[in-house]
Amino acid sequence: MRSDTVKKGVQQAPHRSLFNALGLTEEEMKRPLVGIVNSYNEIVPGHMNLDKITEAVKMGVAMAGGVPREFPAIAVCDGIAMGHTGMKYSLVTRDLIADSTECMAMAHQFDALVMIPNCDKNVPGLLMAAARLNIPTIFVSGGPMLAGHLKGRKRSLSSMFEAVGEYTAGKMSEEEVTEYENKVCPTCGSCSGMYTANSMNCLTEVLGMGLKGNGTIPAVYSERIRLAKMAGMQVMELWRKNIRPRDIMTEKAFLNALTVDMALGCSTNSMLHLPAIAHEAGVELNVDIANEISARTPNLCHLAPAGPTYMEDLNEAGGVYAVMNELTKKDLLNLDCMTVTGKTVGENIEGCVNRNPEVIRPLENPYSETGGLAILKGNLAPDSGVVKRSAVVPEMMVHEGPARVFDCEEDAIAAILGGKINPGDVVVIRYEGPKGGPGMREMLNPTSAIAGMGLGSSVALITDGRFSGASRGASIGHISPEAAVGGPIALVEEGDIIQINIPECTLNLAVSDEELAARKAKWQPRQPKITDGYLARYASLVTSGNRGAVLELPHQN
């Protein structure tokens, strides 16, 4: 056992004395030591139930012969952090989570790990740690929130953000806004649409790192507690068979994840997180391949914000495995990949039928023949930009309009809510990228304001920042290279014509190469917005969005 390093031999007598201080028995010291990474806190609604999940996991581990030892991981609520300086601290926690988990696992020589995440950066951060550590590991999330019910319709957090825009536009009263805020988030859990947290919890299933239902069983269902017990028991099987994360998270597994991502219509943030997780697993995952996969993968689901269905509906329809089984009709998945069940993907999804063709469209009747995400390129995004194609209205799939340029999110929101953005405009928000932000803030406030003001079918938004999974519309993020390093988005001037063609995956500025070169010659780097603390260190190490915003030492760049 790996933990024998700190448990066996005379030299380890001091270590054993400390285990004695923990109350461990002699019998327990002979058993595998299993780290339980608990992301519980009292500020994130998606994490307030993780104490119960953790207790169930620990019971499962003990029943199967292991010794569970709990330690924490941090998590930020993106909704609470949205629209102010706090959002600079969201993406950056992904690396803090990975690093701190590595530190705890290595310092204490755990034999295996159970990761208990739920919300946005917590899931990829722990997947990165799992790939890096490569000791037997299983995931069990806290589960999604139930949808709210308002005036006979299901609602979610994205509805709440858009309600603010509707109120500003005079389309909703303050009393109606209050009713929304009291009803759209009715339970604990990750927010109820196919936003980033649920996207990543579903893709954890696809990668093979979580059991069936990990991404879709609602947080408040007792079935979630049973799942946690099963995960605790199953990690002991992984330890006995020495099945490790890199045996599971192979190149084929990541291609499966991209494929199911397209079918589900996941958050654009998956285009940041999957390459970063793959990087830790030693797999090169270039986002350019996303369009190739999208071209052959139909979009089968329109969960909020793309449509009127929610995670609870996907769960009742058969969940992620039913979507995967549907995709096998076109031979779109690698079925021989190993998973934490100890079985292959093909064995896991066999017989998992689609129980609701209104929630999971059959392969013969998809929402579109192409996937939910698209990577755009052109002279405005030479490396790439990304859009959630499945959440774009048909009339905005091809758009051309004048640039309205803002150097921070706050200025853009003021202009949108102030009625200064006109139909046809293309809002450009720059210097919000990984380095320029720093931290690559999500732009749910401006996208929701555009929708709420009634401009969702006539105004596009482009940024070197990123979007919440709750964003919808012609919202193109991750523009790379970013403005802070002199990318073309830094050279856009007010009134320049921007050309967007999502079906052809192009994004161009209607300015000559000569004019762009002249502007680039005059361009000067901006002084960093933040010069001390963690964000300054992050900005000095982070790479661009098209590479997953991974951290690299200066000599690695």
Side-chain angles (χ1 to χ4, degrees), residues 473-488:
S475 305
I476 303 166
H478 309 188
I479 300 297
S480 302
E482 64 175 290
V485 298

Side-chain angles (χ1 to χ4, degrees), residues 210-525:
L211 299 175
K212 180 184 178 184
N214 178 73
T216 60
I217 298 170
V220 295
Y221 283 16
S222 297
E223 186 181 358
R224 175 66 57 179
I225 300 295
R226 295 197 297 272
L227 181 74
K229 290 177 184 175
M230 288 189 289
M233 290 187 281
Q234 187 59 28
V235 78
M236 297 308 299
E237 280 300 302
L238 295 175
W239 173 75
R240 291 184 186 99
K241 295 176 180 177
N242 196 29
I243 298 174
R244 302 176 182 231
R246 291 195 185 191
D247 300 325
I248 294 169
M249 290 192 280
T250 61
E251 182 178 6
K252 286 183 177 181
F254 282 103
L255 295 179
N256 281 349
L258 279 173
T259 300
V260 179
D261 188 325
M262 296 300 169
L264 285 172
C266 290
S267 164
T268 51
N269 281 315
S270 63
M271 292 297 103
L272 280 177
H273 300 323
L274 288 175
I277 299 161
H279 177 76
E280 296 289 355
V283 174
E284 185 65 32
L285 189 68
N286 191 321
V287 295
D288 289 353
I289 199 173
N291 284 343
E292 179 186 326
I293 291 174
S294 179
R296 62 175 182 259
T297 307
N299 178 227
L300 304 181
C301 300
H302 266 193
L303 281 79
T309 54
Y310 294 83
M311 294 305 296
E312 62 202 65
D313 302 312
L314 179 59
N315 187 62
E316 294 303 316
V320 174
Y321 278 15
V323 175
M324 295 174 74
N325 200 34
E326 197 71 39
L327 294 173
T328 62
K329 294 177 182 177
K330 281 184 68 175
D331 197 27
L332 291 172
L333 296 177
N334 299 292
L335 300 179
D336 58 348
C337 295
M338 178 52 62
T339 72
V340 290
T341 66
K343 300 177 182 178
T344 65
V345 167
E347 291 172 317
N348 286 344
I349 67 175
E350 186 177 358
C352 295
V353 298
N354 178 2
R355 295 195 290 265
N356 189 341
E358 297 300 314
V359 176
I360 304 170
R361 287 276 187 95
L363 211 64
E364 305 80 30
N365 182 35
Y367 283 102
S368 65
E369 293 293 342
T370 52
L373 299 180
I375 302 297
L376 309 187
K377 286 193 174 186
N379 68 351
L380 187 50
D383 290 339
S384 69
V386 62
V387 63
K388 189 169 184 174
R389 172 166 40 193
S390 59
V392 180
V393 294
E395 54 266 41
M396 289 300 291
M397 297 296 279
V398 177
H399 181 75
E400 182 173 310
R404 304 298 306 279
V405 183
F406 304 93
D407 287 350
C408 68
E409 178 189 5
E410 288 82 356
D411 290 350
I413 292 171
I416 296 165
L417 295 179
K420 296 178 181 179
I421 301 300
N422 304 308
D425 286 349
V426 179
V427 176
V428 177
I429 305 178
R430 62 191 181 189
Y431 294 100
E432 291 283 9
K435 285 185 180 293
M440 206 177 185
R441 287 195 287 182
E442 288 185 344
M443 303 290 164
L444 179 56
N445 273 1
T447 59
S448 298
I450 287 170
M453 297 285 284
L455 297 170
S457 60
S458 61
V459 170
L461 192 153
I462 293 173
T463 181
D464 53 7
R466 59 196 180 91
F467 297 109
S468 164
S471 291
R472 62 187 176 99
S475 305
I476 303 166
H478 309 188
I479 300 297
S480 302
E482 64 175 290
V485 298
I489 192 172
L491 311 178
V492 180
E493 296 182 358
E494 187 82 6
D496 284 348
I497 298 299
I498 292 176
Q499 301 163 332
I500 302 166
N501 192 318
I502 295 172
E504 294 187 4
C505 300
T506 60
L507 177 62
N508 286 297
L509 188 64
V511 172
S512 69
D513 292 344
E514 292 77 16
E515 173 62 19
L516 282 177
R519 292 182 189 180
K520 182 64 181 286
K522 296 176 184 176
W523 179 80
Q524 293 292 324

